[in-house]
Amino acid sequence: MIAFANNYFYITTKSSSYIMKILPDGVLKHCYYGRRISNQNMDYYNLYTGYSYIVPYMINNEVTTMDALPQECPSCGRGDYRNPAVVIENADGRRVNDFKYFSHRLYRGAVCLESLPYLDTDTGSAETLEIILKDLISGVHVHLFYTVFEDIDIIARHTEVRNITESTVRLHNIMSLNVDFEFSDCDMISLYGSWGKERTPERYTLHHGKATVSSNKGSSGHHSCPFAALVKKDTDEESGEAYGISLIYSGDFEIGIQVGQFGGTRFYAGINSENFSWKLQKGEIFTSPQAILTYSHEGLGKMSRNFHAACRRHLGACAQKKKHAIVWNLWEAFYFEVNEQKILDTINAVRDFGIDVLVLDDGWFGNRENESTSLGDWLINTDKFPGGFNNIIERCKSNGLKFGLWFEPEVISSESNLFKKHPDWCIHIDGVAPMKSRSELVLDFSRQEVVDAVYDSMSAILKKYDIAYVKWDMNRNITDNGSISLSNGQQGEHSHRHILGVYSLMQRFKKEFPHIFFEGSAGGGGRFDFGILYYMPQIWTSDNSDAIGRLQIQHGTSMVFPPETISCHVSACPNHQTGRVTPFKTRGDVAQLFSLGYELDPNHLTTEQIELLKVQVSKHRELEGWLENAEFYRLKQSSDCDSCAWQSVSADKSRSAVLYVTQLTKPEKVGEYLHLKGLDETKKYRVLPLKIVVSGNVLMYAGLPIKRQYRDFESIFFEILEV
Ligand code: GLA
């Protein structure tokens, strides 16, 4: 609910309140964000008014030190020396702004962003508040949008800068949101990583100055994720206060927490300003990416479940609820050595496993014998596939399977026909040898003709063949940033223009090929964000397919993203990335609560493994109907722990599934009670495989007994069914 009274804006969700005030001078003050309270004049709550020695101030009814004042859209150069929300270079070249309230509008529904992904609502259940500020110095207008999803404690935020003046200005900084708190005794949590180790939670004490997570690689990155949480010291998985922000954006971003000299904390998120500037001519509008903001007083678990709900109910492809397919991917089975006979043999081998889609990964096009060639030449290699894909698709169909294909649309090999024809299409600097990575270069998607050409060559294949699934990869970071098509005053626009081009291509494929299920990937999980999930409901989580390595990765990824978006494959042992040997059962169990798939040569499976595999697949079929709306609980942290445990609970609390994995056997340990969550206290449940019937309150408060495991990497998969 959104209300306006006596210059106060009150945003109320199920469990939170967000309160702002227009001060007499027009500054939009942030008054409160936290646990739900009554709508109330907050004039008594001004800790930071008053004069502070040598710090610039403004005079409203009382003197206010700008560097201490909590604000919604802090300006630059007018006494607040913390991170500004928007920086506009005026026609005279100065970067000084003074944002003051101008007007506001309230309306039902969400805001549709033209070329960026966003949270939407079919039902009109959201409400939006648009506050318009005017920069008293340049005359430019700044629109702050608050779209409120009341039932899930989510506020979607974005900012628009509208140049309503006669002059050209330049935008240097644009945050999607800024929230100022009047406390700082907190921790920050972010997700760090690298290739093969994506999204590991890291918690650290706030210090004076800035703590940031960001990317300048042209994509959200393996090393960071567009997410951060501000949490109280006593916050854990199930209790305490947590504020979470994630951006619906896949390009260069920054999310920061800054503790100021007077003890307040600024939490902000938006486009990374390091290499950003945008020329805004008379009448032009710049729209920031949207950020998702949530508050929980029930710990990190509830914060995650709020993010999951926002994604499942309101985020593009995820909200469309396309059935997730169980795939058999061929990458770790054959790498580049694919051909028609091998694929036909694989179809024969997997046909009665119960899987849905056979996915031909890299290696099917051009002269692609290894990673050094052919990206951009999306033509079937007829030496490997003499009849094109016709025979394969026929064989798939006659065995109840669909066919899927791998593409890496945004890149080009310098050894390719496309490069010979258009050497200037990659991101490069004339006369400078480009930096290479995995022998590939990035196509300049800020250029429409490049995006169109990629669409034409890829869509030719998708139109010709009955393809049900596409794995959309992106395996390198951008260097030599800029575009030969932009003037020298506009090179700072390139990163954002590039990602807009990527989104436009994804949107086009989503629209033109609605029957295709698209899965994102980026050297594993190097671009796992809500931006991609708007176009593709699932993302390959990591090239590290080792079940034990995956515990940490899936654990961290679930901090923000719903389990069914997290693609997890059972692969061969010894594992190709770590050399670790794990039981086949554990490999299946670790994927079971997420999007299960397989990625190995079926001819190397033993008879017992095949029997187990069929059980895993049919169990997943049985669970998937309720898992996609289930509440997810991280019961045990896997880092520095001997075991990891997760639980999913159906929306009506009638079913639950629990995974427990031993990472490090401890002979001295007698076992433990695992305290389940989210069940109905009064319901009775049958626990399989224990064959006991107990009340929800017993499972939650006394716990589920876990006997000592005698071997590393053993797993137990429990099912809890209402009787
Ligand atoms: C990336 C993906 C892999 C595979 C290879 C193919 O690394 O993450 O799963 O598709 O590319 O080159």
Side-chain angles (χ1 to χ4, degrees):
M1 213 173 64
I2 304 172
F4 180 66
N6 303 323
N7 286 332
Y8 278 94
F9 293 103
Y10 300 102
I11 296 175
T12 313
T13 69
K14 196 165 147 200
S15 311
S16 71
S17 294
Y18 192 108
I19 303 177
M20 300 167 271
K21 185 188 181 189
I22 307 164
L23 294 182
D25 297 52
V27 168
L28 187 61
K29 184 187 175 210
H30 177 86
C31 301
Y32 175 79
Y33 183 36
R35 195 161 179 171
R36 184 170 168 159
I37 56 173
S38 314
N39 289 358
Q40 148 98 41
N41 176 316
M42 309 282 292
D43 284 346
Y44 305 112
Y45 292 85
N46 283 340
L47 290 186
Y48 289 124
T49 51
Y51 164 76
S52 182
Y53 191 53
I54 79 154
V55 180
Y57 58 87
M58 74 171 188
I59 301 169
N60 37 65
N61 284 347
E62 39 199 329
V63 175
T64 301
T65 302
M66 290 309 288
D67 208 32
L69 185 71
Q71 294 163 72
E72 286 296 299
C73 185
S75 319
C76 172
R78 298 280 293 168
D80 183 343
Y81 296 99
R82 297 166 291 174
N83 192 70
V86 175
V87 177
I88 299 162
E89 182 185 314
N90 307 313
D92 70 357
R94 270 184 234 229
R95 298 184 192 183
V96 179
N97 309 117
D98 199 355
F99 302 119
K100 296 285 163 65
Y101 172 83
F102 183 73
S103 65
H104 73 272
R105 298 199 296 149
L106 272 175
Y107 39 91
R108 286 221 67 79
V111 190
C112 165
L113 270 57
E114 219 170 81
S115 39
L116 281 162
Y118 61 97
L119 292 188
D120 201 358
T121 171
D122 286 345
T123 57
S125 56
E127 279 179 286
T128 298
L129 165 66
E130 179 181 352
I131 302 176
I132 302 161
L133 307 176
K134 181 177 179 154
D135 176 16
L136 298 187
I137 298 173
S138 68
V140 169
H141 277 186
V142 175
H143 295 232
L144 309 178
F145 291 85
Y146 304 75
T147 298
V148 181
F149 299 87
E150 192 175 333
D151 54 335
I152 52 174
D153 295 321
I154 292 283
I155 304 176
R157 290 290 329 272
H158 75 279
T159 305
E160 260 180 27
V161 177
R162 297 187 184 200
N163 186 1
I164 55 153
T165 72
E166 295 298 315
S167 325
T168 297
V169 297
R170 195 175 288 276
L171 192 58
H172 287 281
N173 204 45
I174 178 158
M175 293 299 110
S176 305
L177 91 171
N178 181 88
V179 192
D180 283 350
F181 297 98
E182 301 189 44
F183 51 76
S184 59
D185 188 18
C186 290
D187 289 341
M188 176 169 175
I189 297 176
S190 59
L191 300 170
Y192 79 94
S194 61
W195 177 84
K197 193 190 189 308
E198 296 87 341
R199 288 169 299 285
T200 306
E202 192 168 32
R203 180 169 181 156
Y204 33 95
T205 301
L206 288 185
H207 53 79
H208 284 89
K210 284 183 188 175
T212 62
V213 276
S214 65
S215 175
N216 53 7
K217 299 180 169 180
S219 59
S220 43
H222 294 89
H223 70 292
S224 68
C225 173
F227 155 79
L230 175 71
V231 300
K232 293 283 172 65
K233 288 282 176 196
D234 60 355
T235 299
D236 58 23
E237 270 296 310
E238 298 304 324
S239 67
E241 292 190 291
Y243 299 87
I245 293 179
S246 187
L247 284 163
I248 309 179
Y249 193 55
S250 317
D252 293 345
F253 73 93
E254 180 172 324
I255 302 182
I257 300 184
Q258 182 178 26
V259 178
Q261 58 176 321
F262 298 103
T265 302
R266 175 159 290 175
F267 197 6
Y268 60 90
I271 291 179
N272 190 342
S273 49
E274 180 184 312
N275 193 18
F276 171 81
S277 73
W278 197 278
K279 194 169 152 194
L280 212 56
Q281 307 203 49
K282 174 186 167 187
E284 285 184 340
I285 299 173
F286 184 88
T287 306
S288 80
Q290 199 174 58
I292 306 178
L293 173 66
T294 192
Y295 166 80
S296 151
H297 63 266
E298 294 167 70
L300 291 166
K302 184 69 170 69
M303 175 201 74
S304 300
R305 291 187 288 279
N306 291 347
F307 279 129
H308 298 177
C311 177
R312 286 168 168 170
R313 297 187 206 170
H314 303 290
L315 189 71
C318 295
Q320 281 158 10
K321 299 266 173 268
K322 261 194 185 165
K323 192 168 176 297
H324 289 255
I326 301 179
V327 302
W328 194 283
N329 182 294
L330 297 173
W331 176 241
E332 286 197 18
F334 307 130
Y335 294 99
F336 294 101
E337 288 166 24
V338 286
N339 62 43
E340 182 172 310
Q341 196 51 51
K342 277 188 177 174
I343 313 294
L344 293 176
D345 292 346
T346 305
I347 296 169
N348 288 347
V350 306
R351 64 184 163 198
D352 61 348
F353 290 177
I355 61 155
D356 301 304
V357 185
L358 185 95
V359 179
L360 175 53
D361 207 281
D362 202 345
W364 59 266
F365 51 92
N367 298 318
R368 188 81 168 161
E369 302 297 343
N370 54 51
E371 61 182 36
S372 67
T373 71
S374 304
L375 292 162
D377 295 344
W378 302 116
L379 290 171
I380 300 174
N381 178 321
T382 46
D383 291 339
K384 294 179 177 183
F385 302 97
F389 293 145
N390 287 327
N391 291 343
I392 291 174
I393 293 176
E394 275 308 300
R395 183 73 64 89
C396 275
K397 282 189 177 162
S398 58
N399 287 290
L401 287 168
K402 291 177 175 164
F403 181 60
L405 204 55
W406 179 95
F407 287 93
E408 194 176 349
E410 300 153 57
V411 296
I412 182 170
S413 303
S414 49
E415 225 179 273
S416 66
N417 291 331
L418 186 67
F419 190 83
K420 274 186 206 131
K421 222 167 139 192
H422 299 287
D424 67 321
W425 276 11
C426 63
I427 297 175
H428 72 285
I429 304 168
D430 277 340
V432 176
M435 299 294 297
K436 286 212 182 166
S437 171
R438 215 186 180 229
S439 300
E440 57 194 60
L441 301 163
V442 182
L443 286 166
D444 183 353
F445 266 41
S446 71
R447 293 168 65 180
Q448 191 59 46
E449 72 272 30
V450 177
V451 177
D452 288 345
V454 175
Y455 176 80
D456 289 344
S457 64
M458 271 177 71
S459 63
I461 298 269
L462 300 180
K463 280 177 188 156
K464 184 162 178 198
Y465 294 103
D466 192 356
I467 290 167
Y469 165 105
V470 164
K471 178 171 169 188
W472 182 305
D473 221 329
M474 169 50 176
N475 286 322
R476 73 155 288 173
N477 303 143
I478 291 182
T479 52
D480 307 304
N481 200 357
S483 174
I484 55 166
S485 69
L486 290 170
S487 69
N488 59 4
Q490 284 185 289
Q491 293 299 338
E493 299 178 13
H494 181 253
S495 293
H496 186 63
R497 285 190 187 278
H498 177 81
I499 204 74
L500 291 181
V502 173
Y503 285 154
S504 74
L505 188 66
M506 290 180 174
Q507 178 63 28
R508 201 159 160 197
F509 276 109
K510 191 173 155 220
K511 195 161 162 258
E512 303 287 325
F513 300 92
H515 60 283
I516 295 181
F517 188 97
F518 287 91
E519 171 164 342
S521 171
R527 198 166 62 177
F528 207 126
D529 56 63
F530 283 129
I532 298 299
L533 287 174
Y534 178 84
Y535 303 98
M536 308 181 183
Q538 188 170 305
I539 300 177
W540 177 230
T541 314
S542 175
D543 277 344
N544 182 350
S545 67
D546 169 48
I548 300 305
R550 273 301 188 98
L551 292 173
Q552 182 66 74
I553 296 168
Q554 292 169 208
H555 198 90
T557 307
S558 79
M559 187 77 84
V560 192
F561 307 104
E564 69 280 6
T565 64
I566 300 172
S567 183
C568 304
H569 294 176
V570 172
S571 60
C573 270
N575 179 268
H576 293 192
Q577 293 79 40
T578 63
R580 193 178 275 130
V581 176
T582 50
F584 195 83
K585 177 178 183 310
T586 303
R587 285 178 259 161
D589 283 354
V590 168
Q592 196 62 278
L593 298 177
F594 300 81
S595 259
L596 170 74
Y598 292 82
E599 185 164 334
L600 69 171
D601 185 347
N603 298 308
H604 296 160
L605 290 169
T606 63
T607 317
E608 295 84 70
Q609 286 176 331
I610 290 177
E611 288 316 307
L612 203 49
L613 184 153
K614 289 182 187 167
V615 173
Q616 289 168 357
V617 169
S618 67
K619 180 54 68 190
H620 195 71
R621 274 280 108 84
E622 192 189 316
L623 301 177
E624 64 188 350
W626 64 269
L627 277 183
E628 63 177 25
N629 289 314
E631 304 262 278
F632 188 75
Y633 294 87
R634 291 177 292 269
L635 301 181
K636 283 195 82 174
Q637 295 278 2
S638 54
S639 64
D640 307 312
C641 266
D642 53 0
S643 55
C644 172
W646 302 315
Q647 181 192 8
S648 290
V649 183
S650 68
D652 64 359
K653 297 182 188 293
S654 69
R655 303 188 61 153
S656 178
V658 177
L659 169 76
Y660 182 95
V661 184
T662 302
Q663 287 166 267
L664 187 65
T665 305
K666 293 195 173 157
E668 75 281 11
K669 201 169 162 182
V670 290
E672 64 177 306
Y673 291 100
L674 194 62
H675 294 267
L676 303 192
K677 307 283 177 199
L679 299 173
D680 186 323
E681 286 194 6
T682 58
K683 280 185 173 152
K684 287 227 178 314
Y685 297 93
R686 183 182 314 283
V687 181
L688 301 172
L690 296 186
K691 296 195 188 115
I692 53 168
V693 173
V694 270
S695 298
N697 57 40
V698 173
L699 290 170
M700 292 195 289
Y701 310 139
L704 174 67
I706 308 282
K707 292 236 169 80
R708 172 169 40 174
Q709 305 292 297
Y710 288 98
R711 295 236 179 89
D712 284 352
F713 319 142
E714 275 188 352
S715 65
I716 324 176
F717 193 81
F718 296 98
E719 281 190 81
I720 321 272
L721 307 167
E722 185 184 352
V723 289

